């Protein structure tokens, strides 16, 4: 049985002077300290790619620098779904008996270590090299096109999207490691400069420095923890121009597979960690996963349903939109927060006890989907 026995985040933000490997090592130090194990006990290592350190053997590089000698090491690239995909693979390695302790790791100094133009150019390569990139498209513009189509189909509007940004900021204000903790209002979001209409600046996640480390082990640690009960993936397209329909992205497929493996129903879920690179990403995923009716995500957000005290707490760390987005580590922060809440180790941010969390991540432009069901134990 794969147990999630530690989850550690560095602060997210502008962390000048720290290299990508430094950040990853800092997160790994904390994760191993939480679990009470030595580096020599790590026999599996999974590393997410880093845009500003495009090394062909990043897992091997980190093992070398950190002094690990794993029997299994693997670098993974699935865009924003990488962190969830790595946790899924770690669970499979544990179930297969190949590893006893798998360190899942990612980090970048993307904010302080890259120029804005370099980051934008690197991320834009997610686009089709023939049909999309020649038009000068960027990741925000891909999502803006998707937003326009989805909003027309469902009736969602710009104030609706802004309400989701406000909710994420309210949660981040309580987290000392979050990149942005200043309060914002719907009006602040609407008045922020347009990045790619209809998306404003505060509809978009920031670029951050930061790292996250997770430890997945074969044995229960003898303290409150969490276990990976089910996982699934869904892949319907890579490029926006190849998307089949604005109502079928692959999220439902990945969730169905995770629920089947876990042997439970969506109604059993009582905590959410949902990928939120843009406000439209969060709205679409909440609705496409069947968590709320089409066009109703913002209405429920305003009602308090997704608040820390609500029926279905959502991204209580602030999500990518406010906790921050440091590449693969940004998505992994959703998992780290899930672990802390389920294991009752969130300190002053601790919410009422929850039993089963759904974490969902996507990579590309809603291209690669991974759903995880994580249970308190």
């Amino acid at each position: 049985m794969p147990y999630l026995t530690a989850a550690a985040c560095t602060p997210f933000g502008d962390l000048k002077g720290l290299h990508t490997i430094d950040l990853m090592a800092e997160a790994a130090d904390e994760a191993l300290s939480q679990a009470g194990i030595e580096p020599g006990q790590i026999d599996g290592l999974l590393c997410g790619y880093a845009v500003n350190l495009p090394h062909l053997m990043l897992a091997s590089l980190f093992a070398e620098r950190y002094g690990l000698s794993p029997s299994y090491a693997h670098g993974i690239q699935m865009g924003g779904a990488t962190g969830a995909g790595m946790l899924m693979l770690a669970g499979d390695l544990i179930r297969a008996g190949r590893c006893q302790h798998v360190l899942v790791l990612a980090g970048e100094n993307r904010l302080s270590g890259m120029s804005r133009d370099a980051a934008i150019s690197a991320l834009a390569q997610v686009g089709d090299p023939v049909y999309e990139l020649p038009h000068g498209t960027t990741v925000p513009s891909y999502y803006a096109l998707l937003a326009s189509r989805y909003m027309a189909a469902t009736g969602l509007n710009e104030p609706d999207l802004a309400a989701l940004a406000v909710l994420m900021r309210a949660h981040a204000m309580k987290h000392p490691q979050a990149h942005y903790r200043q309060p914002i209002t719907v009006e602040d979001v609407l008045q922020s400069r347009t990045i790619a209409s209809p998306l404003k600046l505060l509809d978009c996640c920031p670029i951050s420095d930061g790292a996250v480390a997770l430890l997945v082990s074969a044995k229960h640690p003898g303290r409150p923890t969490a276990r990976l009960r089910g996982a699934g993936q869904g892949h319907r397209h890579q490029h926006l121009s190849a998307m089949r329909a604005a109502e079928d992205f692959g999220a439902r497929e990945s969730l169905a597979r995770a629920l089947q493996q876990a042997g439970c129903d969506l109604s059993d879920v009582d905590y959410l960690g949902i990928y939120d690179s843009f406000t439209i990403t969060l709205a679409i995923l909440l609705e496409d996963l069947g968590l709320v009716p089409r066009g109703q995500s913002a209405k429920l957000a305003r009602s308090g349903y997704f608040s820390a005290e609500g029926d279905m707490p959502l991204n209580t760390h602030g999500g990518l939109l406010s906790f921050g987005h440091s590449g693969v580590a940004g998505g992994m922060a959703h998992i780290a927060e899930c672990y802390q809440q389920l294991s009752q180790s969130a300190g002053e941010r601790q919410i009422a006890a929850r039993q089963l969390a759904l974490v969902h991540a996507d990579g590309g432009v809603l291209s690669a989907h991974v759903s995880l069901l994580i249970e308190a134990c």
Side-chain angles (χ1 to χ4, degrees):
M1 177 62 66
Y3 294 98
L4 184 56
T5 58
C9 292
T10 68
F12 271 45
D14 189 353
L15 309 178
K16 288 185 176 66
L18 292 175
H19 185 270
T20 288
I21 296 294
D22 297 329
L23 291 166
M24 294 167 69
E26 183 178 322
D29 285 346
E30 175 59 25
L32 268 60
S33 176
Q34 287 179 18
I37 69 170
E38 298 297 323
Q41 294 175 261
I42 299 296
D43 54 3
L45 175 64
L46 302 177
C47 283
Y49 72 96
V51 170
N52 63 346
L53 184 60
H55 198 283
L56 291 176
M57 301 173 63
L58 187 55
S60 298
L61 175 64
F62 182 80
E64 172 190 281
R65 300 289 174 83
Y66 198 70
L68 300 178
S69 298
S71 57
Y72 187 99
H74 196 164
I76 297 180
Q77 296 188 173
M78 295 174 65
T82 303
M86 290 196 296
L87 188 59
M88 181 178 180
L89 176 56
D92 290 343
L93 291 170
I94 294 295
R95 289 189 181 96
R98 187 173 293 278
C99 299
Q100 295 298 302
H101 297 288
V102 181
L103 180 63
V104 179
L105 185 64
E108 286 191 44
N109 63 336
R110 186 179 291 188
L111 176 58
S112 64
M114 293 184 77
S115 70
R116 179 180 300 177
D117 288 348
I120 290 172
S121 176
L123 296 174
Q125 302 311 305
V126 71
D128 186 286
V130 175
Y131 298 110
E132 296 175 356
L133 288 181
H135 299 287
T137 45
T138 62
V139 172
S141 65
Y142 294 129
Y143 274 91
L145 289 168
L146 181 61
S148 296
R149 179 172 172 176
Y150 192 81
M151 291 162 72
T154 63
L156 282 172
N157 57 35
E158 292 180 34
D160 288 336
L161 298 184
L164 296 173
V166 171
L167 174 64
M168 292 302 96
R169 184 60 61 88
H171 287 168
M173 287 168 59
K174 301 176 182 178
H175 202 304
Q177 293 177 306
H179 191 160
Y180 288 113
R181 301 179 64 195
Q182 304 86 353
I184 58 173
T185 65
V186 167
E187 190 61 24
D188 291 332
V189 180
L190 297 177
Q191 292 300 317
S192 62
R193 65 186 175 91
T194 298
I195 300 300
S197 183
L199 300 178
K200 309 296 194 299
L201 177 65
L202 294 178
D203 286 304
C204 309
C205 65
I207 293 175
S208 312
D209 299 333
V212 176
L214 310 172
L215 186 67
V216 185
S217 300
K219 295 182 179 179
H220 193 287
R223 52 179 168 76
T225 192
R227 70 183 182 106
L228 182 58
R229 183 168 166 177
Q233 294 190 22
H235 304 272
R236 303 285 285 172
H237 67 277
Q238 163 62 68
H239 300 112
L240 181 65
S241 55
M243 185 177 291
R244 303 181 193 181
E247 295 79 32
D248 185 9
F249 305 99
R252 282 175 285 179
E253 293 178 355
S254 68
L255 176 58
R257 290 165 182 152
L259 289 169
Q260 181 178 28
Q261 184 181 41
C264 63
D265 297 319
L266 187 57
S267 60
D268 296 321
V269 170
D270 55 9
Y271 179 87
L272 300 174
I274 308 296
Y275 203 78
D276 60 319
S277 49
F278 300 89
T279 51
I280 189 60
T281 316
L282 185 55
I284 288 176
L285 289 177
L286 286 169
E287 297 174 11
D288 197 47
L289 289 164
L291 295 162
V292 301
R294 295 282 183 187
Q296 299 300 305
S297 52
K299 179 180 179 181
L300 283 171
R302 293 188 187 99
S303 75
Y305 182 72
F306 296 124
S307 71
E309 301 79 23
D311 293 339
M312 189 68 74
L314 166 69
N315 296 353
T316 49
H317 64 309
L320 296 162
L321 285 165
S322 282
F323 186 84
H325 194 349
S326 181
V328 173
M332 288 176 64
H334 292 73
I335 301 170
E337 177 70 6
C338 166
Y339 167 78
Q340 291 171 2
Q341 294 294 350
L342 291 181
S343 64
Q344 299 282 297
S345 59
E348 294 181 357
R349 295 183 300 99
Q350 185 65 55
I351 63 175
R354 300 285 157 166
Q355 187 61 32
L356 184 65
L358 167 61
V359 175
H360 185 89
D362 84 87
V365 187
L366 293 177
S367 308
H369 294 268
V370 182
S371 300
L372 306 171
L373 290 161
I374 303 174
E375 184 176 50
C377 63

